[in-house]
Amino acid sequence: MVAYGSDIIVGGHFVSAGGVAATNLARWDGTNWHQFAGGVNGYVLSLAVSGTNLYVGGLFGRAGTIAAGNLAVWNGTAWRNIGDVSGTDENSPGAPLVLAILPATNGIYVAGRFLEINGVATTNAAFWDGDQWHALGSGVANEGGEIRSLAMYRGHLYAGGIFRDANRLPRSNIAQWNGQEWLPLREGIAEGDDAIVIMGETHSGAVNTLSVHRKKLIVGGNFFQAGHRRVSGLAAWTGRRWVRIGRGVSGSSRTINHFEPDGKKLFVCGGFDRFNGKRRTHLALWPFSGRPEVRRGPQAGVTAMAITERGLFIGGEHGLADETRPANVARWDGQRWHGLGEGSGSAPLKFPYTVAASGSNVFVAGQFVNIAGTNRVERVARWDGQTWHRLADGIPGGDLRSSAADGSNFFVGGFFSLSEAGITNLARWDGLRWRSLGNVFNENYLFPGDIASLAFGGGRLFAAGHFTSIDGVPAKNIACWDGTNWSALGDGLPMPVQPQSLADVMVYHAGSLYILADLPGPISNPQAAVWQWDGLNWSVLAQYPRYFGVAKSLAVFRNELYVAGVFSEFAGVPAENIAKWNATNWTAVGSVATTADGMITLITATPNGLYLAGEFSTFAGVPAQSVIRWDGASWSALGGGLRVHGSYANPFDAATTESSVFFVGGLDTADGKPSQNIAEWRE
């Protein structure tokens, strides 16, 4: 976030600002949001202003209509590509990033995680003189890591981040460039909760932000040691030694993300509950004062901040303002917080665990409180194809693990309670309110039973987990509800249903129910099975040892049952990661070995296609980023696939309609488009 003329420019990962379409860059003019110069097609991770030039860095390939590799400049009229930032070494996995930009009198400094700019070899830090790029020695973090912040102090450049070397010499998370070489700041910054692995060893003590204030270099981040001094996320360098600044920060995350100077004051933001021993929620002011200028901090962690004549602006990712409608960008007027329109969020859907679809309704459940600037939701929400909706007051706590849908009815199971409705671990949303489906109980433990999997089919709801009765009806680990009453499925399942993933392990098709569940046996050699309930009896379609493979999900496609997971054979048949049952035999799928270079987590199907998802970049020899489609004859990628931080996505669950597939989990782009933890593929 930066002041640009009389406006505020925000960057991040979003598709709208205050209801206005804006791709990862937006402008606030004091009254309204506007898209900014066509935006960029990926993450914005750094912004800087020099005169009329706005420098934008991050992870993207296009700015407006021009190609730009992670760095671009807007000159007030047009975009300009001043150099493609590329390359990372084997010690710094992930995509190249520009994380810090610092204007200087004769150019700009750029830093982050990269190996080259416009053909110039430069490790994570470089200087642009207006015509050419220059390396800064042999760079910083040659062994691995990244630079997150830059500052000019007493005529020298300082770089902070998470790394342990510069110019291939020991430098712990902070270093000084004197124009010729990188120098240490005594023992540097060390220890913290934010850790990475460098050359096989855990390294921590991240420096997130730098600022010059009161003739000192102020350092903030997630660390507990500066030189030989014990600190907590905050320290100062005098040019000769490290000094402590009060008691630093404390709380659940104990991190400082950004400093913003304002005359003789320095605003501090991040994720903390206390600053210098006093309660300051995510935002504080130094020097310390008895009465803080901002007397009520924001509700969530702050990642960006800017100060203009219009006031103090802060940004984050899931509802900052202490208002009825939380916003991802907020302004402090000296008395209270104001959300700017609907903020700049694109759907910060935090931690969705399960998704279910029926007709035009898509339901999600997990751990989130806000989606795309809507009214506050609690862990559950409905998408109608245009808008997100609340489900009354939601479900305020617990663990939501499974779901199913039928029209406007949404069923959710897990570990939770809605005491006012008499609900424990299993609930139904009927389109108007939450209703109980009866008490789920486990008499072996005299404790509520849990629901681990749900499926709807044949006009009935099937529930599986670890229980001995539902609504007083004896049922061993699985039962079905016909809309009025519960009934057991024969003798039930001998072992609790404990899925190896959050994806569907139970499907209904043509009068039969199929489910993945364990067989009874010794703990030393656990056996799992694919079970079938034909309406009268249980039978085992496949049996396999769990120590030699994991079946994670089931789906039915064109009247055949498919199972997917991580295995090299299934039910004694050679089959890589996926196998199918044709009502007689188990076989491999297709004529090409379905090997993957990563993990398979789920499988689902529409009438026209079978979809696999997981953490992989190739499957069956086809380049496909985290998701792939089988049409009955061949495998094909879904555009640019799903990604998170430029690498593998981590899909948790999927749901289908007649012509769409919805994926939820750890993802932030779908086919290169911002898509925060939920995406839709239309056939």
Side-chain angles (χ1 to χ4, degrees), residues 543-563:
Q543 180 176 337
Y544 58 95
R546 279 209 287 116
Y547 283 158
F548 295 96
V550 178
K552 294 193 172 186
S553 185
L554 293 175
V556 172
F557 177 55
R558 295 181 181 173
N559 297 316
E560 294 181 310
L561 177 69
Y562 288 76
V563 59

Side-chain angles (χ1 to χ4, degrees), residues 317-332:
E317 55 177 339
H318 48 280
L320 293 162
D322 189 11
E323 299 290 331
T324 322
R325 291 178 66 84
N328 297 328
V329 179
R331 179 177 66 89
W332 177 255

